[in-house]
């Protein structure tokens, strides 16, 4: 619907070029006494100041404008009236010809003649006129958009031949449509997608702009926000929470911890402008769930680590939203598939120190995962591997406290072990067996056993130990007797139903028998013997002690594995000799500050013996010759016993005998090796 708004003239002024510094204004009515001096070059100008531009005109669509005024006389034929727009406002009380404002383009009257009658003249339908005119459609509207400068003044310049002219009641009639120009709210500076940290304050800034300002006199300053509301909710369903903003403020800061963590929100802003229209932004979705942490092992990877020292694990932690790690878990594995929790760290720390001796020797796999600021764990990293070089841990030792004590232990990484019983070392033994029985009985009283184990890299653990008390409980008596010549033949009698006998020479175990008889072939001279009947449960019964002397009237040799003695009675030499050579490697090294060299003595020694023998019969010679290269035992008349390899042999034959010269290379030998003792 078209409406009309009429603006009245509020001030009037006249300027003359013949009195350029004189101000003419203040007439009780709008009258311009333009006295004729019949000089067409003399210039007069009339200025009209109109009412302020109404607000409703700034908010509606302008159709056209008409400027109306009445003359008190007719203009003669050929007289032309020009009307101009102004480029700026003026003060009617001070305006003169010399300070009058610059005029703009003229309002074209198309050389209209004044009509007869009342003398009223109107400028009609300016939209159809010259587009450079202030009344011309968009150009006119664009020129008058500044608030408070909306046609506040018009002025006219008359060239005339009349005596004077009076202007009565000038008015400006505005035709407009009853259409309220609306505004639109939009986000100026606020997150519209992605992640928002709910633990921090969040700022939202928006702005108002006219939706169709090109068809009215309104500007963004004419129609402003009257109020606004920010609406938000968690997720994508449910009720919104409203946060009102009064007045024209176009920003709000939401306090930290208002929005939920680990979720998402939807929000929009709705505003109402001073023209009464309402608009809202689109609904935006923001994530409040922090990005997951990606953890990547850094070190050690593929390295060899000293297990006796602390080992530090390090990793990188990152997220797609840039927030740091807020904690981490670590796990280890020995096979890369079965995982064990190692530790948890808090905060942004991306390293963890493992105490010394935490790992046994071998390969260790490790992995890590990080937590984001919401406390949500990311995925486990790929497994990293390093190799630990370390001694096995100290074994845990237990003992069955009987004379033939059995020791048990628990430890990881064992490849070998050695046992110390009251200061006597047994071993090392190789393997992963973790039980061992003392080969000799222990006397009643306090004893200590220690166990050390060796790992895959040759390092020995700290000894694990156990102390215990032995109290033997003997069984049926054992009566021992012996016959002693070149060998010692022992026999015994007992009523015990057990048949597990240990034979001792001079307190050292030399044999194990299940029958009540034993032959000692490896000793000469006087020795004492005792038999121990080992009872079930680890106790024992000791026999009486028997002492005897074994002599060899002539040298004799026999296979170490058993068999008859071969008498070495004859010799080519009337003064028969036995010679022995013993050697041990010694390295002499000079050091600063020492006049003489230091001796580095090898723990290894060599012993060889040289002998001769003659045989008068061929069978005996052949039996002896068959021993070459074998392990033998030789007993001499001088009381020497040599156990070794018949390593060299020279033979010489005469008409009456066969002569040999031979050597024995001493070998390591223990009288008793028993599977039960694991020696």
């Amino acid at each position: 619907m078209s409406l009309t708004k009429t603006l009245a003239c509020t001030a009037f002024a006249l300027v003359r070029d013949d009195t350029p510094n004189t101000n003419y204004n203040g007439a009780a009515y709008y009258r311009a006494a333009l006295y004729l001096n019949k000089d067409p070059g003399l210039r007069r100008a009339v200025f009209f100041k109109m009412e302020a531009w109404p607000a409703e005109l700034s908010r509606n669509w302008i159709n056209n404008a008409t400027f109306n005024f009445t003359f008190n006389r007719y203009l003669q034929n050929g007289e032309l009236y020009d009307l101009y727009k102004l480029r700026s406002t003026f003060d009617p009380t001070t305006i003169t010809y010399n300070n009058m404002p610059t005029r703009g383009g003229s309002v074209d009257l198309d050389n209209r003649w004044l009509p007869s009658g009342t003398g009223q003249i109107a400028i009609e339908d300016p939209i159809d006129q010259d587009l450079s005119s202030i009344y011309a459609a968009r150009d006119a509207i664009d020129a008058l958009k500044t608030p408070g400068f909306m046609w506040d003044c018009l002025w006219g310049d008359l060239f005339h031949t009349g005596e004077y002219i009076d202007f009565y009641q000038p008015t400006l009639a505005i035709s407009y449509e009853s259409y309220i120009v609306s505004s639109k709210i939009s986000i100026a500076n606020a997150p519209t997608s992605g992640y928002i940290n709910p633990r921090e304050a969040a700022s939202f800034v928006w702005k108002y702009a006219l939706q169709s300002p090109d068809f009215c006199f309104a500007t963004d300053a004419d129609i402003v926000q009257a109020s606004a509301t920010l609406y938000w909710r968690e997720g994508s369903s449910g009720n919104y929470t409203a946060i009102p903003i009064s007045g024209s403020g176009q920003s709000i800061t939401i306090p930290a911890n208002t929005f939920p963590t680990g979720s998402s929100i939807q929000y929009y802003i709705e505003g109402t402008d001073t023209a009464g229209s309402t608009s809202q932004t689109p609904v935006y979705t923001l994530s409040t769930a922090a990005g997951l942490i990606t953890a990547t092992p850094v070190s050690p990877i593929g390295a060899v680590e000293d297990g006796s020292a602390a080992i530090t694990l390090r990793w990188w932690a990152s997220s797609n939203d840039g927030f740091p790690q807020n904690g981490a878990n670590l796990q280890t594995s020995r096979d890369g598939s079965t995982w064990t929790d190692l530790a948890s760290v808090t905060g942004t720390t991306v390293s963890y120190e493992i105490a010394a001796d935490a790992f046994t020797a071998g390969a260790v796999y490790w992995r890590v995962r990080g937590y984001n600021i919401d406390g949500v764990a990311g995925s486990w990293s790929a497994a990293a591997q390093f190799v630990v070089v370390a001694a096995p841990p100290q074994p845990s030792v237990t003992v069955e406290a009987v004379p033939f004590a059995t020791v048990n232990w628990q430890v990881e990484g064992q490849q070998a072990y050695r046992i110390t019983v009251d200061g006597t070392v047994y071993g090392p033994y190789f393997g992963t067996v973790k039980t061992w029985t003392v080969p000799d009985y222990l006397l009643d009283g306090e004893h200590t056993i220690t166990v050390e184990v060796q790992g895959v890299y040759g390092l020995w653990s700290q000894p694990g130990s156990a102390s215990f008390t032995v109290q033997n409980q003997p069984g049926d008596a054992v009566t021992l007797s012996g016959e002693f010549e070149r060998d010692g033949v022992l026999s015994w009698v007992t009523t015990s139903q057990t048949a597990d006998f240990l034979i001792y020479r001079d307190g050292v175990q030399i044999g194990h028998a299940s029958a009540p008889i034993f032959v000692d072939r490896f000793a000469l001279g006087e020795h004492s013997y005792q038999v121990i009947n080992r009872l079930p449960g680890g106790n024992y019964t000791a026999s009486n002690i028997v002492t005897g002397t074994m002599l060899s009237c002539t040298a004799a040799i026999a296979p170490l594995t058993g068999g008859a003695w071969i008498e070495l009675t004859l010799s080519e030499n009337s003064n028969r000799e036995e010679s022995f050579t013993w050697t041990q490697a010694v390295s002499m090294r000079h050091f600063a500050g020492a006049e003489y060299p230091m001796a580095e003595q090898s723990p290894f020694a060599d012993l060889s013996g040289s002998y001769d023998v003659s045989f008068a019969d061929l069978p005996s010679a052949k039996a002896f010759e068959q021993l070459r290269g074998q392990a033998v035992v030789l007993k001499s008349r001088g009381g020497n016993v040599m156990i070794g390899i018949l390593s060299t042999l020279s033979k010489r034959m005469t008409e009456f005998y066969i002569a040999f010269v031979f050597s024995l290379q001493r070998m390591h030998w223990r009288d008793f090796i028993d599977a039960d003792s694991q020696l």
Side-chain angles (χ1 to χ4, degrees):
M1 179 179 66
S2 296
L3 301 175
T4 300
K5 180 69 175 180
T6 300
L7 304 182
C9 181
T10 61
F12 157 81
L14 173 70
V15 297
R16 297 172 51 145
D17 60 354
D18 59 341
T19 54
N21 295 314
T22 302
N23 170 256
Y24 300 94
N25 77 93
Y29 54 94
Y30 303 117
R31 179 178 183 181
L34 304 179
Y35 295 100
L36 178 64
N37 61 6
K38 299 186 184 300
D39 182 358
L42 184 63
R43 191 172 184 180
R44 308 285 188 268
V46 180
F47 289 83
F48 303 96
K49 188 173 182 66
M50 311 305 292
E51 290 181 276
W53 193 267
E56 61 265 30
L57 294 186
S58 294
R59 299 171 186 168
N60 289 273
W61 191 334
I62 303 299
N63 288 324
N64 56 61
T66 302
F67 188 67
N68 299 292
F69 53 90
T70 302
F71 289 88
N72 66 340
R73 57 178 293 277
Y74 295 105
L75 292 179
Q76 295 181 10
N77 185 24
E79 291 182 331
L80 182 64
Y81 174 79
D82 291 328
L83 188 66
Y84 297 88
K85 62 184 179 182
L86 293 178
R87 297 187 183 276
S88 62
T89 188
F90 70 96
D91 183 355
T93 64
T94 61
I95 189 173
T96 66
Y97 185 86
N98 281 343
N99 66 14
M100 65 182 181
T102 304
R103 70 185 185 183
S106 66
V107 178
D108 189 358
L109 298 181
D110 292 333
N111 294 319
R112 290 187 180 183
W113 304 108
L114 282 175
S116 59
T118 61
Q120 185 181 49
I121 184 171
I123 304 169
E124 298 178 349
D125 198 12
I127 291 180
D128 295 332
Q129 297 188 35
D130 184 357
L131 291 181
S132 65
S133 168
I134 193 171
Y135 309 109
R138 295 181 183 179
D139 180 61
I141 294 172
D142 289 343
L144 297 176
K145 277 186 176 180
T146 304
F149 188 58
M150 303 299 182
W151 287 10
D152 65 317
C153 177
L154 298 175
W155 70 283
D157 187 9
L158 296 175
F159 295 91
H160 58 87
T161 57
E163 295 181 355
Y164 64 91
I165 302 175
D166 288 343
F167 295 89
Y168 294 94
Q169 298 178 340
T171 61
L172 181 63
I174 309 298
S175 173
Y176 64 96
E177 296 294 328
S178 179
Y179 169 77
I180 301 296
V181 177
S182 64
S183 57
K184 182 179 181 180
I185 190 171
S186 61
I187 294 298
N189 184 18
T192 57
S193 63
Y195 173 79
I196 185 172
N197 188 356
R199 297 169 182 79
E200 298 177 353
S203 295
F204 296 83
V205 181
W206 58 94
K207 64 180 180 180
Y208 259 88
L210 296 179
Q211 286 186 292
S212 53
D214 291 338
F215 298 97
C216 66
F217 290 121
T219 68
D220 289 337
D222 295 318
I223 303 178
V224 297
Q225 174 184 301
S227 64
T229 303
L230 185 146
Y231 294 91
W232 74 272
R233 67 183 177 186
E234 182 176 2
S236 58
S237 62
N239 297 326
Y240 281 93
T241 297
I243 302 177
I245 301 98
S246 61
S248 60
Q250 297 181 18
S251 67
I252 186 173
T253 298
I254 305 300
N257 302 310
T258 299
F259 300 140
T261 60
S263 183
S264 66
I265 66 164
Q266 288 186 330
Y267 85 94
Y268 67 92
I269 300 171
E270 183 179 85
T272 301
D273 62 26
T274 51
S277 64
T278 298
S279 65
Q280 69 178 44
T281 68
V283 176
Y284 299 108
T285 300
L286 304 177
S287 171
T288 60
L292 296 179
I293 297 295
T294 299
T296 305
V298 173
S299 66
I301 299 176
V304 176
E305 299 290 331
D306 181 3
S308 64
I311 300 173
T312 300
L313 306 182
R314 293 182 173 86
W315 62 94
W316 291 111
S318 61
S319 65
N320 55 13
D321 53 21
F323 285 98
Q325 167 196 290
N326 193 37
N329 298 139
L330 295 116
Q331 290 184 333
T332 59
S333 172
R334 300 314 294 258
D335 59 9
S337 60
T338 303
W339 294 93
T340 301
D341 291 338
L342 173 65
S344 295
V345 299
T346 58
T348 59
T349 300
V350 289
S351 65
Y352 178 77
E353 184 177 278
I354 303 171
D357 301 318
F359 293 119
T360 58
V364 176
Y365 299 86
W366 68 282
R367 64 182 185 179
V368 61
R369 67 178 180 182
Y371 287 82
N372 63 14
I373 58 174
D374 293 335
V376 178
S379 300
W380 286 105
S381 70
Q385 181 191 22
F386 60 93
V387 176
V388 173
V389 176
Q394 184 183 56
S396 174
V397 180
T398 59
V399 177
E400 296 179 25
V402 291
F404 289 93
T406 297
V407 57
N408 299 283
W409 62 94
Q410 295 297 323
V411 72
E412 292 183 3
Q414 173 184 308
Q415 298 295 315
Y417 61 96
R418 61 190 176 200
I419 313 293
T420 302
V421 182
D422 296 335
T424 300
V425 178
Y426 297 85
Y429 311 117
F430 297 95
T432 58
V433 174
K434 297 180 177 63
T435 184
W436 182 84
T437 299
V438 178
D440 295 316
Y441 65 90
L442 300 176
L443 297 176
D444 291 354
E446 293 292 326
H447 300 273
T448 300
I449 289 181
T450 62
V451 179
E452 299 169 273
V453 297
Q454 188 182 53
V456 66
Y457 297 104
L459 301 177
W460 287 93
S461 72
Q462 293 296 314
S465 64
S467 297
F468 56 96
T469 301
V470 169
Q471 180 63 54
N472 182 46
Q473 298 178 8
D476 297 340
V478 177
T479 302
L480 176 64
S481 60
E483 296 179 4
F484 303 97
E485 293 180 356
R486 179 177 286 134
D487 297 334
V489 180
L490 305 175
S491 61
W492 55 92
V493 177
T494 180
T495 60
S496 174
Q497 298 300 310
T498 63
D500 188 10
F501 303 104
L502 299 178
I503 296 87
Y504 288 80
R505 180 205 308 137
D506 301 329
V508 177
Q509 187 180 145
I510 63 169
H512 182 200
S514 58
I517 189 169
F518 182 81
V519 178
D520 182 8
R521 307 188 71 193
F522 305 122
L524 286 176
E526 184 178 7
H527 297 280
S528 61
Y529 293 90
Q530 188 177 35
V531 172
I532 297 295
N533 186 16
R534 189 160 57 179
L535 304 175
N539 292 300
Y540 67 92
T541 301
S543 73
N544 56 301
I545 297 175
V546 173
T547 300
T549 302
M550 290 166 285
L551 299 173
S552 184
C553 296
T554 184
I557 192 170
L560 188 62
T561 56
W565 289 99
I566 300 174
E567 301 285 346
L568 307 179
T569 305
L570 302 177
S571 173
E572 284 189 305
N573 300 311
S574 59
N575 186 17
R576 192 175 195 176
E577 292 184 355
E578 297 177 3
S579 63
F580 300 93
T581 302
W582 179 89
T583 60
Q584 186 175 29
V586 177
S587 176
M588 306 299 289
R589 300 183 63 185
H590 286 277
F591 293 93
E595 181 179 2
Y596 296 99
M598 304 293 290
E600 294 183 354
Q601 190 172 5
S602 170
F604 307 110
D606 293 285
L607 176 63
S608 63
S610 297
Y611 308 88
D612 70 278
V613 65
S614 298
F615 295 97
D617 62 291
L618 185 59
S620 296
K622 287 185 176 181
F624 172 78
E625 193 174 359
Q626 289 177 353
L627 295 177
R628 62 187 179 186
Q630 294 188 37
V632 298
V633 54
L634 185 146
K635 291 184 177 182
S636 68
R637 291 179 62 188
N640 293 317
V641 179
M642 176 73 86
I643 298 174
I645 304 297
L646 201 160
S647 57
T648 61
L649 178 68
S650 62
K651 176 181 176 182
R652 188 170 61 83
M653 301 181 68
T654 70
E655 184 178 354
F656 301 103
Y657 56 85
I658 302 171
F660 295 94
V661 176
F662 64 96
S663 297
L664 292 184
Q665 187 72 33
R666 177 62 189 251
M667 60 182 285
H668 179 74
W669 172 255
R670 293 192 60 155
D671 288 328
F672 175 58
I673 299 178
D674 187 359
D676 290 345
S677 68
Q678 303 177 27
L679 295 178

